[in-house]
Amino acid sequence: MGRLCQTDGLTEDQTEILKAVRQFVDEKIIPVATELEHADEYPQEIVDGLKELGIFGLMIPEEYDGLGESLLTYALCVEEIARGWMSVSGVINTHFIVAYMLMQHGTEEQKQKYLPRMATGEVRGAFSMSEPALGSDVAAISTKATLGDDGNYTINGQKMWLTNGGSSTLIAVLVKTDEGADSVYKNMTTFLVEKEPGFGETAPGLTIPGKIDKMGYKGVDTTEAIFENHPIAAEQILGGEPGKGFYQMMDGVEVGRVNVAARACGIANRAFELGVAYSQQRETFGKKIAEHQAILFRLAEMATKVETAHTMMVRAARTKDKGERNDVEAGMAKMLASEYCNEVVEASFRIHGGYGYSKEYEIERLYREAAFMLIGEGTSDIQKMIIGRSVLKDYKLKG
């Protein structure tokens, strides 16, 4: 049972990339993941290895020094990486979203300026919509960019939950502007904010206070970003035109949801592997626990959920790769994969019994990581709203 057995329709290049990533995960990530996670240590050696593999530029076009691969290839790689340690997939997730937004919406000057260096990992991206007083209600953001007499802007406000907030050097930040104020969705603008890596004042008027201590998702830095009269040139508006930020961000979120679905698939796959292995080692009442019908049925349900989530994730990625909008497919994949991930991890946790509660066993880490999948890139309730509205639109009663 392995993800690499599901390569129908993949090219030889895609298959070779996935094999290389899986080998890297097995040799370089899994052996050290639990130790680094318990220490909440940034996986610098792993990140350097991903740079060498070209993962940071996987979807960036070849003309900008990337590999020019598809969203499907990227998602399958993320699935493998999350199987090793979900936090590592988080290191590249927001970087990937920012690169995607640049590819889709950036000016040619912006693409030339950032994409080649993003492909090598020299420039590292972070993505910022959320704020302390809001979650899914994007329209309620209060961080604002004010246009000055010189034609440039000043940003003030506080952003929350920036993955890679400290290690990044380029943040795509959604703020409100005065332009397009007649519509709440047309008075938002995405700025490309440059900063130094690290914490403290990383750019004039921009402070990254420090890492937020979390239940799981450790190793990767999650931060706030405080803007106090941060000066920024108008040329740093993504696409060069204010008022389009909401739609740019939502485009990024769609591919981000495929990413989170892939991460959930990876966690579930690893939990399944651990459950199968433990059930064939542990004995009770004179036989392996895998031979007990209760455990056998549990494994069957876990296997089915792993395969179903993977299939939904692949479908969402393929839809986007065809140039079609995939908000519904991505929402379905994200909802199903995250919910199934939690169910599979809990089932594996139960199979491990008391040992699953010990930090010596990998399933304990997965149990904490799986919970984040339920909220990352929008809760299941948000996905249900997206899906439900589409259903009503497609099946609207006539007459």
Side-chain angles (χ1 to χ4, degrees), residues 3 71-84 86 89 93 96 255-270 306 309-314 316-317 330 333-338 341 373:
R3 296 277 50 82
L71 177 59
L72 175 61
T73 308
Y74 179 83
L76 293 174
C77 287
V78 166
E79 183 180 30
E80 292 296 341
I81 292 168
R83 173 182 155 268
M86 191 273 289
S89 64
N93 177 34
F96 145 74
V255 292
R257 283 176 179 151
V258 175
N259 180 290
V260 174
R263 292 156 77 179
C265 288
I267 295 172
N269 194 24
R270 183 59 180 167
V306 167
H310 172 82
T311 301
M312 287 292 291
M313 179 271 291
V314 168
K334 194 275 171 185
M335 179 182 72
L336 191 76
S338 62
C341 171
M373 299 294 94

mmCIF file of all heavy atoms in Angstrom, residues 3 71-84 86 89 93 96 255-270 306 309-314 316-317 330 333-338 341 373:
data_model
loop_
_atom_site.group_PDB
_atom_site.id
_atom_site.type_symbol
_atom_site.label_atom_id
_atom_site.label_comp_id
_atom_site.label_asym_id
_atom_site.label_seq_id
_atom_site.Cartn_x
_atom_site.Cartn_y
_atom_site.Cartn_z
ATOM 1 N N ARG A 3 1.685 5.237 -2.017
ATOM 2 C CA ARG A 3 1.189 6.223 -2.960
ATOM 3 C C ARG A 3 1.833 6.072 -4.333
ATOM 4 O O ARG A 3 1.216 6.410 -5.336
ATOM 5 C CB ARG A 3 1.451 7.639 -2.442
ATOM 6 C CG ARG A 3 0.695 7.941 -1.169
ATOM 7 C CD ARG A 3 -0.742 8.377 -1.405
ATOM 8 N NE ARG A 3 -1.539 7.567 -2.258
ATOM 9 C CZ ARG A 3 -2.162 6.451 -1.875
ATOM 10 N NH1 ARG A 3 -2.013 6.017 -0.648
ATOM 11 N NH2 ARG A 3 -2.909 5.779 -2.708
ATOM 12 N N LEU A 71 0.354 21.222 -11.034
ATOM 13 C CA LEU A 71 -0.148 21.207 -9.660
ATOM 14 C C LEU A 71 -0.258 19.778 -9.152
ATOM 15 O O LEU A 71 0.017 19.504 -7.984
ATOM 16 C CB LEU A 71 -1.513 21.902 -9.592
ATOM 17 C CG LEU A 71 -2.219 21.900 -8.220
ATOM 18 C CD1 LEU A 71 -1.369 22.580 -7.165
ATOM 19 C CD2 LEU A 71 -3.592 22.566 -8.326
ATOM 20 N N LEU A 72 -0.626 18.855 -10.031
ATOM 21 C CA LEU A 72 -0.720 17.458 -9.620
ATOM 22 C C LEU A 72 0.631 16.939 -9.143
ATOM 23 O O LEU A 72 0.725 16.293 -8.097
ATOM 24 C CB LEU A 72 -1.227 16.601 -10.784
ATOM 25 C CG LEU A 72 -1.259 15.094 -10.506
ATOM 26 C CD1 LEU A 72 -2.188 14.768 -9.350
ATOM 27 C CD2 LEU A 72 -1.673 14.326 -11.760
ATOM 28 N N THR A 73 1.687 17.205 -9.910
ATOM 29 C CA THR A 73 3.029 16.766 -9.499
ATOM 30 C C THR A 73 3.383 17.343 -8.142
ATOM 31 O O THR A 73 3.884 16.643 -7.255
ATOM 32 C CB THR A 73 4.086 17.199 -10.530
ATOM 33 O OG1 THR A 73 3.700 16.775 -11.825
ATOM 34 C CG2 THR A 73 5.453 16.611 -10.193
ATOM 35 N N TYR A 74 3.110 18.636 -7.986
ATOM 36 C CA TYR A 74 3.411 19.301 -6.725
ATOM 37 C C TYR A 74 2.627 18.658 -5.582
ATOM 38 O O TYR A 74 3.189 18.365 -4.517
ATOM 39 C CB TYR A 74 3.075 20.790 -6.822
ATOM 40 C CG TYR A 74 3.341 21.537 -5.544
ATOM 41 C CD1 TYR A 74 4.614 21.990 -5.227
ATOM 42 C CD2 TYR A 74 2.317 21.767 -4.635
ATOM 43 C CE1 TYR A 74 4.867 22.650 -4.044
ATOM 44 C CE2 TYR A 74 2.559 22.422 -3.447
ATOM 45 C CZ TYR A 74 3.828 22.868 -3.159
ATOM 46 O OH TYR A 74 4.069 23.511 -1.973
ATOM 47 N N ALA A 75 1.328 18.433 -5.788
ATOM 48 C CA ALA A 75 0.483 17.876 -4.729
ATOM 49 C C ALA A 75 0.951 16.476 -4.331
ATOM 50 O O ALA A 75 0.964 16.123 -3.144
ATOM 51 C CB ALA A 75 -0.971 17.840 -5.189
ATOM 52 N N LEU A 76 1.334 15.662 -5.314
ATOM 53 C CA LEU A 76 1.820 14.325 -5.006
ATOM 54 C C LEU A 76 3.142 14.368 -4.235
ATOM 55 O O LEU A 76 3.387 13.539 -3.352
ATOM 56 C CB LEU A 76 1.991 13.522 -6.300
ATOM 57 C CG LEU A 76 0.687 13.185 -7.047
ATOM 58 C CD1 LEU A 76 0.996 12.521 -8.381
ATOM 59 C CD2 LEU A 76 -0.212 12.289 -6.202
ATOM 60 N N CYS A 77 3.986 15.352 -4.548
ATOM 61 C CA CYS A 77 5.231 15.530 -3.794
ATOM 62 C C CYS A 77 4.926 15.966 -2.360
ATOM 63 O O CYS A 77 5.547 15.480 -1.401
ATOM 64 C CB CYS A 77 6.118 16.566 -4.473
ATOM 65 S SG CYS A 77 6.892 16.009 -6.005
ATOM 66 N N VAL A 78 3.973 16.875 -2.204
ATOM 67 C CA VAL A 78 3.574 17.336 -0.871
ATOM 68 C C VAL A 78 3.020 16.177 -0.048
ATOM 69 O O VAL A 78 3.309 16.047 1.145
ATOM 70 C CB VAL A 78 2.526 18.467 -0.983
ATOM 71 C CG1 VAL A 78 1.846 18.723 0.356
ATOM 72 C CG2 VAL A 78 3.183 19.735 -1.484
ATOM 73 N N GLU A 79 2.243 15.322 -0.691
ATOM 74 C CA GLU A 79 1.700 14.151 -0.008
ATOM 75 C C GLU A 79 2.827 13.287 0.554
ATOM 76 O O GLU A 79 2.767 12.825 1.706
ATOM 77 C CB GLU A 79 0.845 13.343 -0.981
ATOM 78 C CG GLU A 79 0.167 12.133 -0.372
ATOM 79 C CD GLU A 79 -0.667 11.367 -1.385
ATOM 80 O OE1 GLU A 79 -0.299 11.385 -2.581
ATOM 81 O OE2 GLU A 79 -1.668 10.758 -0.986
ATOM 82 N N GLU A 80 3.860 13.082 -0.247
ATOM 83 C CA GLU A 80 5.000 12.289 0.212
ATOM 84 C C GLU A 80 5.747 12.985 1.351
ATOM 85 O O GLU A 80 6.130 12.352 2.341
ATOM 86 C CB GLU A 80 5.956 12.030 -0.954
ATOM 87 C CG GLU A 80 5.408 11.123 -2.032
ATOM 88 C CD GLU A 80 5.129 9.716 -1.534
ATOM 89 O OE1 GLU A 80 5.678 9.326 -0.477
ATOM 90 O OE2 GLU A 80 4.359 9.006 -2.188
ATOM 91 N N ILE A 81 5.952 14.293 1.214
ATOM 92 C CA ILE A 81 6.690 15.033 2.238
ATOM 93 C C ILE A 81 5.921 15.038 3.560
ATOM 94 O O ILE A 81 6.506 14.845 4.637
ATOM 95 C CB ILE A 81 6.982 16.463 1.756
ATOM 96 C CG1 ILE A 81 7.980 16.430 0.588
ATOM 97 C CG2 ILE A 81 7.537 17.328 2.886
ATOM 98 C CD1 ILE A 81 8.117 17.754 -0.144
ATOM 99 N N ALA A 82 4.604 15.251 3.496
ATOM 100 C CA ALA A 82 3.789 15.249 4.707
ATOM 101 C C ALA A 82 3.751 13.873 5.349
ATOM 102 O O ALA A 82 3.604 13.740 6.567
ATOM 103 C CB ALA A 82 2.374 15.724 4.395
ATOM 104 N N ARG A 83 3.878 12.845 4.540
ATOM 105 C CA ARG A 83 3.987 11.488 5.079
ATOM 106 C C ARG A 83 5.205 11.382 5.995
ATOM 107 O O ARG A 83 5.189 10.656 6.993
ATOM 108 C CB ARG A 83 4.083 10.499 3.915
ATOM 109 C CG ARG A 83 4.370 9.064 4.311
ATOM 110 C CD ARG A 83 4.501 8.159 3.087
ATOM 111 N NE ARG A 83 5.312 6.995 3.412
ATOM 112 C CZ ARG A 83 6.620 6.919 3.242
ATOM 113 N NH1 ARG A 83 7.274 7.947 2.720
ATOM 114 N NH2 ARG A 83 7.284 5.833 3.582
ATOM 115 N N GLY A 84 6.253 12.127 5.664
ATOM 116 C CA GLY A 84 7.448 12.115 6.509
ATOM 117 C C GLY A 84 7.310 13.023 7.715
ATOM 118 O O GLY A 84 7.564 12.618 8.851
ATOM 119 N N MET A 86 4.695 16.575 8.478
ATOM 120 C CA MET A 86 3.797 17.585 7.928
ATOM 121 C C MET A 86 4.390 18.988 7.974
ATOM 122 O O MET A 86 4.154 19.806 7.079
ATOM 123 C CB MET A 86 2.461 17.538 8.671
ATOM 124 C CG MET A 86 1.352 18.352 8.018
ATOM 125 S SD MET A 86 1.332 20.081 8.542
ATOM 126 C CE MET A 86 0.743 19.907 10.225
ATOM 127 N N SER A 89 6.184 20.068 4.840
ATOM 128 C CA SER A 89 5.317 20.465 3.734
ATOM 129 C C SER A 89 4.793 21.880 3.951
ATOM 130 O O SER A 89 4.532 22.608 2.990
ATOM 131 C CB SER A 89 4.150 19.484 3.582
ATOM 132 O OG SER A 89 3.301 19.503 4.712
ATOM 133 N N ASN A 93 4.617 25.267 1.533
ATOM 134 C CA ASN A 93 3.238 25.553 1.116
ATOM 135 C C ASN A 93 3.007 27.024 0.782
ATOM 136 O O ASN A 93 2.563 27.364 -0.312
ATOM 137 C CB ASN A 93 2.258 25.111 2.204
ATOM 138 C CG ASN A 93 0.820 25.443 1.855
ATOM 139 O OD1 ASN A 93 0.425 25.407 0.700
ATOM 140 N ND2 ASN A 93 0.033 25.790 2.857
ATOM 141 N N PHE A 96 4.927 28.239 -2.154
ATOM 142 C CA PHE A 96 4.306 27.788 -3.388
ATOM 143 C C PHE A 96 3.101 28.663 -3.758
ATOM 144 O O PHE A 96 2.916 29.017 -4.928
ATOM 145 C CB PHE A 96 3.910 26.321 -3.205
ATOM 146 C CG PHE A 96 2.655 25.894 -3.890
ATOM 147 C CD1 PHE A 96 2.614 25.721 -5.264
ATOM 148 C CD2 PHE A 96 1.510 25.641 -3.144
ATOM 149 C CE1 PHE A 96 1.442 25.314 -5.881
ATOM 150 C CE2 PHE A 96 0.346 25.234 -3.767
ATOM 151 C CZ PHE A 96 0.312 25.070 -5.141
ATOM 152 N N VAL A 255 -5.532 26.702 -4.798
ATOM 153 C CA VAL A 255 -4.418 25.757 -4.928
ATOM 154 C C VAL A 255 -3.890 25.393 -3.544
ATOM 155 O O VAL A 255 -3.398 24.283 -3.322
ATOM 156 C CB VAL A 255 -3.288 26.306 -5.828
ATOM 157 C CG1 VAL A 255 -3.754 26.405 -7.261
ATOM 158 C CG2 VAL A 255 -2.767 27.635 -5.333
ATOM 159 N N GLY A 256 -4.003 26.330 -2.582
ATOM 160 C CA GLY A 256 -3.596 26.039 -1.212
ATOM 161 C C GLY A 256 -4.436 24.943 -0.587
ATOM 162 O O GLY A 256 -3.935 24.126 0.187
ATOM 163 N N ARG A 257 -5.729 24.901 -0.953
ATOM 164 C CA ARG A 257 -6.591 23.851 -0.410
ATOM 165 C C ARG A 257 -6.237 22.490 -0.983
ATOM 166 O O ARG A 257 -6.339 21.471 -0.295
ATOM 167 C CB ARG A 257 -8.060 24.202 -0.679
ATOM 168 C CG ARG A 257 -8.557 25.271 0.279
ATOM 169 C CD ARG A 257 -9.965 25.736 0.011
ATOM 170 N NE ARG A 257 -10.323 26.741 1.009
ATOM 171 C CZ ARG A 257 -11.183 27.738 0.829
ATOM 172 N NH1 ARG A 257 -11.786 27.869 -0.353
ATOM 173 N NH2 ARG A 257 -11.439 28.592 1.788
ATOM 174 N N VAL A 258 -5.817 22.455 -2.234
ATOM 175 C CA VAL A 258 -5.310 21.198 -2.800
ATOM 176 C C VAL A 258 -4.072 20.772 -2.022
ATOM 177 O O VAL A 258 -3.882 19.590 -1.710
ATOM 178 C CB VAL A 258 -4.988 21.355 -4.293
ATOM 179 C CG1 VAL A 258 -4.337 20.080 -4.836
ATOM 180 C CG2 VAL A 258 -6.252 21.675 -5.082
ATOM 181 N N ASN A 259 -3.237 21.746 -1.688
ATOM 182 C CA ASN A 259 -2.030 21.470 -0.917
ATOM 183 C C ASN A 259 -2.367 20.883 0.448
ATOM 184 O O ASN A 259 -1.777 19.883 0.874
ATOM 185 C CB ASN A 259 -1.234 22.770 -0.765
ATOM 186 C CG ASN A 259 0.042 22.599 0.032
ATOM 187 O OD1 ASN A 259 0.009 22.384 1.233
ATOM 188 N ND2 ASN A 259 1.172 22.717 -0.620
ATOM 189 N N VAL A 260 -3.324 21.493 1.150
ATOM 190 C CA VAL A 260 -3.702 20.986 2.477
ATOM 191 C C VAL A 260 -4.322 19.597 2.357
ATOM 192 O O VAL A 260 -4.066 18.717 3.192
ATOM 193 C CB VAL A 260 -4.660 21.957 3.186
ATOM 194 C CG1 VAL A 260 -5.173 21.355 4.495
ATOM 195 C CG2 VAL A 260 -3.959 23.279 3.476
ATOM 196 N N ALA A 261 -5.111 19.378 1.322
ATOM 197 C CA ALA A 261 -5.660 18.038 1.096
ATOM 198 C C ALA A 261 -4.532 17.023 0.915
ATOM 199 O O ALA A 261 -4.583 15.915 1.464
ATOM 200 C CB ALA A 261 -6.576 18.041 -0.124
ATOM 201 N N ALA A 262 -3.513 17.410 0.167
ATOM 202 C CA ALA A 262 -2.368 16.520 -0.049
ATOM 203 C C ALA A 262 -1.630 16.248 1.256
ATOM 204 O O ALA A 262 -1.189 15.119 1.511
ATOM 205 C CB ALA A 262 -1.419 17.130 -1.079
ATOM 206 N N ARG A 263 -1.482 17.279 2.069
ATOM 207 C CA ARG A 263 -0.819 17.092 3.362
ATOM 208 C C ARG A 263 -1.615 16.140 4.254
ATOM 209 O O ARG A 263 -1.052 15.269 4.930
ATOM 210 C CB ARG A 263 -0.639 18.450 4.049
ATOM 211 C CG ARG A 263 0.362 19.337 3.331
ATOM 212 C CD ARG A 263 0.146 20.806 3.619
ATOM 213 N NE ARG A 263 0.637 21.200 4.920
ATOM 214 C CZ ARG A 263 0.579 22.441 5.371
ATOM 215 N NH1 ARG A 263 0.055 23.397 4.626
ATOM 216 N NH2 ARG A 263 1.059 22.747 6.554
ATOM 217 N N ALA A 264 -2.950 16.301 4.258
ATOM 218 C CA ALA A 264 -3.799 15.411 5.039
ATOM 219 C C ALA A 264 -3.678 13.973 4.548
ATOM 220 O O ALA A 264 -3.636 13.030 5.345
ATOM 221 C CB ALA A 264 -5.248 15.882 4.971
ATOM 222 N N CYS A 265 -3.600 13.808 3.231
ATOM 223 C CA CYS A 265 -3.415 12.472 2.656
ATOM 224 C C CYS A 265 -2.098 11.853 3.116
ATOM 225 O O CYS A 265 -2.024 10.655 3.420
ATOM 226 C CB CYS A 265 -3.449 12.538 1.131
ATOM 227 S SG CYS A 265 -5.077 12.859 0.411
ATOM 228 N N GLY A 266 -1.054 12.681 3.151
ATOM 229 C CA GLY A 266 0.245 12.183 3.577
ATOM 230 C C GLY A 266 0.250 11.726 5.022
ATOM 231 O O GLY A 266 0.800 10.663 5.362
ATOM 232 N N ILE A 267 -0.355 12.522 5.906
ATOM 233 C CA ILE A 267 -0.441 12.149 7.328
ATOM 234 C C ILE A 267 -1.237 10.859 7.481
ATOM 235 O O ILE A 267 -0.843 9.938 8.217
ATOM 236 C CB ILE A 267 -1.086 13.276 8.146
ATOM 237 C CG1 ILE A 267 -0.216 14.530 8.141
ATOM 238 C CG2 ILE A 267 -1.318 12.819 9.592
ATOM 239 C CD1 ILE A 267 -0.880 15.744 8.776
ATOM 240 N N ALA A 268 -2.381 10.779 6.795
ATOM 241 C CA ALA A 268 -3.229 9.598 6.890
ATOM 242 C C ALA A 268 -2.495 8.357 6.392
ATOM 243 O O ALA A 268 -2.592 7.277 6.995
ATOM 244 C CB ALA A 268 -4.512 9.812 6.089
ATOM 245 N N ASN A 269 -1.757 8.520 5.306
ATOM 246 C CA ASN A 269 -1.022 7.387 4.754
ATOM 247 C C ASN A 269 0.024 6.874 5.740
ATOM 248 O O ASN A 269 0.179 5.665 5.934
ATOM 249 C CB ASN A 269 -0.361 7.797 3.437
ATOM 250 C CG ASN A 269 0.120 6.611 2.632
ATOM 251 O OD1 ASN A 269 -0.372 5.503 2.783
ATOM 252 N ND2 ASN A 269 1.096 6.851 1.772
ATOM 253 N N ARG A 270 0.719 7.815 6.383
ATOM 254 C CA ARG A 270 1.735 7.400 7.362
ATOM 255 C C ARG A 270 1.090 6.737 8.580
ATOM 256 O O ARG A 270 1.585 5.713 9.076
ATOM 257 C CB ARG A 270 2.558 8.618 7.803
ATOM 258 C CG ARG A 270 3.689 8.295 8.774
ATOM 259 C CD ARG A 270 4.667 7.299 8.175
ATOM 260 N NE ARG A 270 5.751 6.987 9.100
ATOM 261 C CZ ARG A 270 6.598 5.973 8.921
ATOM 262 N NH1 ARG A 270 6.486 5.186 7.863
ATOM 263 N NH2 ARG A 270 7.559 5.753 9.798
ATOM 264 N N VAL A 306 -7.959 6.315 3.139
ATOM 265 C CA VAL A 306 -6.710 6.817 2.570
ATOM 266 C C VAL A 306 -6.820 6.902 1.048
ATOM 267 O O VAL A 306 -6.465 7.920 0.433
ATOM 268 C CB VAL A 306 -5.523 5.908 2.975
ATOM 269 C CG1 VAL A 306 -4.287 6.231 2.144
ATOM 270 C CG2 VAL A 306 -5.209 6.080 4.461
ATOM 271 N N ALA A 309 -9.513 9.674 -0.105
ATOM 272 C CA ALA A 309 -9.008 11.045 0.039
ATOM 273 C C ALA A 309 -7.979 11.352 -1.036
ATOM 274 O O ALA A 309 -7.978 12.441 -1.630
ATOM 275 C CB ALA A 309 -8.410 11.235 1.430
ATOM 276 N N HIS A 310 -7.098 10.397 -1.290
ATOM 277 C CA HIS A 310 -6.072 10.574 -2.325
ATOM 278 C C HIS A 310 -6.710 10.806 -3.698
ATOM 279 O O HIS A 310 -6.298 11.700 -4.446
ATOM 280 C CB HIS A 310 -5.170 9.340 -2.362
ATOM 281 C CG HIS A 310 -4.200 9.330 -3.500
ATOM 282 N ND1 HIS A 310 -2.998 10.011 -3.458
ATOM 283 C CD2 HIS A 310 -4.249 8.724 -4.719
ATOM 284 C CE1 HIS A 310 -2.358 9.825 -4.602
ATOM 285 N NE2 HIS A 310 -3.093 9.049 -5.374
ATOM 286 N N THR A 311 -7.727 10.037 -4.006
ATOM 287 C CA THR A 311 -8.403 10.162 -5.294
ATOM 288 C C THR A 311 -9.057 11.532 -5.455
ATOM 289 O O THR A 311 -8.980 12.155 -6.517
ATOM 290 C CB THR A 311 -9.455 9.051 -5.451
ATOM 291 O OG1 THR A 311 -8.814 7.772 -5.358
ATOM 292 C CG2 THR A 311 -10.162 9.146 -6.792
ATOM 293 N N MET A 312 -9.703 12.026 -4.404
ATOM 294 C CA MET A 312 -10.340 13.335 -4.445
ATOM 295 C C MET A 312 -9.306 14.444 -4.613
ATOM 296 O O MET A 312 -9.523 15.413 -5.348
ATOM 297 C CB MET A 312 -11.151 13.564 -3.172
ATOM 298 C CG MET A 312 -12.427 12.749 -3.099
ATOM 299 S SD MET A 312 -13.670 13.263 -4.316
ATOM 300 C CE MET A 312 -14.127 14.864 -3.671
ATOM 301 N N MET A 313 -8.185 14.301 -3.946
ATOM 302 C CA MET A 313 -7.120 15.295 -4.051
ATOM 303 C C MET A 313 -6.560 15.351 -5.463
ATOM 304 O O MET A 313 -6.343 16.427 -6.032
ATOM 305 C CB MET A 313 -6.010 14.966 -3.037
ATOM 306 C CG MET A 313 -4.820 15.915 -3.053
ATOM 307 S SD MET A 313 -3.514 15.410 -4.226
ATOM 308 C CE MET A 313 -2.904 13.930 -3.421
ATOM 309 N N VAL A 314 -6.337 14.175 -6.064
ATOM 310 C CA VAL A 314 -5.829 14.108 -7.439
ATOM 311 C C VAL A 314 -6.816 14.757 -8.395
ATOM 312 O O VAL A 314 -6.422 15.507 -9.304
ATOM 313 C CB VAL A 314 -5.544 12.642 -7.834
ATOM 314 C CG1 VAL A 314 -5.300 12.523 -9.336
ATOM 315 C CG2 VAL A 314 -4.344 12.113 -7.060
ATOM 316 N N ALA A 316 -8.990 17.147 -7.813
ATOM 317 C CA ALA A 316 -8.959 18.608 -7.652
ATOM 318 C C ALA A 316 -7.739 19.205 -8.342
ATOM 319 O O ALA A 316 -7.832 20.259 -8.985
ATOM 320 C CB ALA A 316 -8.966 18.973 -6.171
ATOM 321 N N ALA A 317 -6.597 18.551 -8.213
ATOM 322 C CA ALA A 317 -5.370 19.054 -8.845
ATOM 323 C C ALA A 317 -5.479 18.987 -10.361
ATOM 324 O O ALA A 317 -5.102 19.930 -11.069
ATOM 325 C CB ALA A 317 -4.164 18.244 -8.368
ATOM 326 N N ALA A 330 -11.662 21.540 -4.977
ATOM 327 C CA ALA A 330 -10.657 21.751 -3.921
ATOM 328 C C ALA A 330 -11.313 21.728 -2.550
ATOM 329 O O ALA A 330 -10.755 21.179 -1.590
ATOM 330 C CB ALA A 330 -9.939 23.076 -4.142
ATOM 331 N N ALA A 333 -12.139 18.101 -1.731
ATOM 332 C CA ALA A 333 -10.913 17.354 -1.417
ATOM 333 C C ALA A 333 -10.368 17.742 -0.056
ATOM 334 O O ALA A 333 -9.975 16.881 0.742
ATOM 335 C CB ALA A 333 -9.862 17.597 -2.495
ATOM 336 N N LYS A 334 -10.354 19.046 0.221
ATOM 337 C CA LYS A 334 -9.819 19.517 1.490
ATOM 338 C C LYS A 334 -10.674 19.024 2.651
ATOM 339 O O LYS A 334 -10.163 18.542 3.663
ATOM 340 C CB LYS A 334 -9.734 21.047 1.479
ATOM 341 C CG LYS A 334 -8.889 21.626 2.603
ATOM 342 C CD LYS A 334 -9.665 21.809 3.884
ATOM 343 C CE LYS A 334 -8.765 22.169 5.036
ATOM 344 N NZ LYS A 334 -9.461 22.251 6.318
ATOM 345 N N MET A 335 -12.000 19.134 2.518
ATOM 346 C CA MET A 335 -12.895 18.698 3.585
ATOM 347 C C MET A 335 -12.760 17.197 3.834
ATOM 348 O O MET A 335 -12.562 16.751 4.965
ATOM 349 C CB MET A 335 -14.344 19.034 3.239
ATOM 350 C CG MET A 335 -15.341 18.592 4.303
ATOM 351 S SD MET A 335 -17.055 18.931 3.856
ATOM 352 C CE MET A 335 -17.316 17.689 2.565
ATOM 353 N N LEU A 336 -12.863 16.422 2.769
ATOM 354 C CA LEU A 336 -12.831 14.971 2.915
ATOM 355 C C LEU A 336 -11.481 14.492 3.432
ATOM 356 O O LEU A 336 -11.416 13.667 4.359
ATOM 357 C CB LEU A 336 -13.137 14.310 1.567
ATOM 358 C CG LEU A 336 -13.385 12.802 1.638
ATOM 359 C CD1 LEU A 336 -14.774 12.527 2.195
ATOM 360 C CD2 LEU A 336 -13.251 12.160 0.260
ATOM 361 N N ALA A 337 -10.399 15.013 2.852
ATOM 362 C CA ALA A 337 -9.064 14.556 3.251
ATOM 363 C C ALA A 337 -8.765 14.905 4.699
ATOM 364 O O ALA A 337 -8.185 14.096 5.435
ATOM 365 C CB ALA A 337 -8.009 15.162 2.328
ATOM 366 N N SER A 338 -9.145 16.111 5.134
ATOM 367 C CA SER A 338 -8.849 16.514 6.511
ATOM 368 C C SER A 338 -9.671 15.709 7.514
ATOM 369 O O SER A 338 -9.156 15.302 8.565
ATOM 370 C CB SER A 338 -9.092 18.007 6.686
ATOM 371 O OG SER A 338 -10.447 18.349 6.462
ATOM 372 N N CYS A 341 -8.378 12.153 7.442
ATOM 373 C CA CYS A 341 -7.055 12.141 8.075
ATOM 374 C C CYS A 341 -7.196 11.972 9.581
ATOM 375 O O CYS A 341 -6.535 11.129 10.202
ATOM 376 C CB CYS A 341 -6.306 13.425 7.738
ATOM 377 S SG CYS A 341 -4.761 13.661 8.645
ATOM 378 N N MET A 373 -5.080 20.053 10.170
ATOM 379 C CA MET A 373 -5.657 19.893 8.844
ATOM 380 C C MET A 373 -7.125 20.302 8.802
ATOM 381 O O MET A 373 -7.658 20.676 7.756
ATOM 382 C CB MET A 373 -5.521 18.444 8.368
ATOM 383 C CG MET A 373 -4.079 17.944 8.246
ATOM 384 S SD MET A 373 -3.141 18.806 6.956
ATOM 385 C CE MET A 373 -2.345 20.098 7.888
#
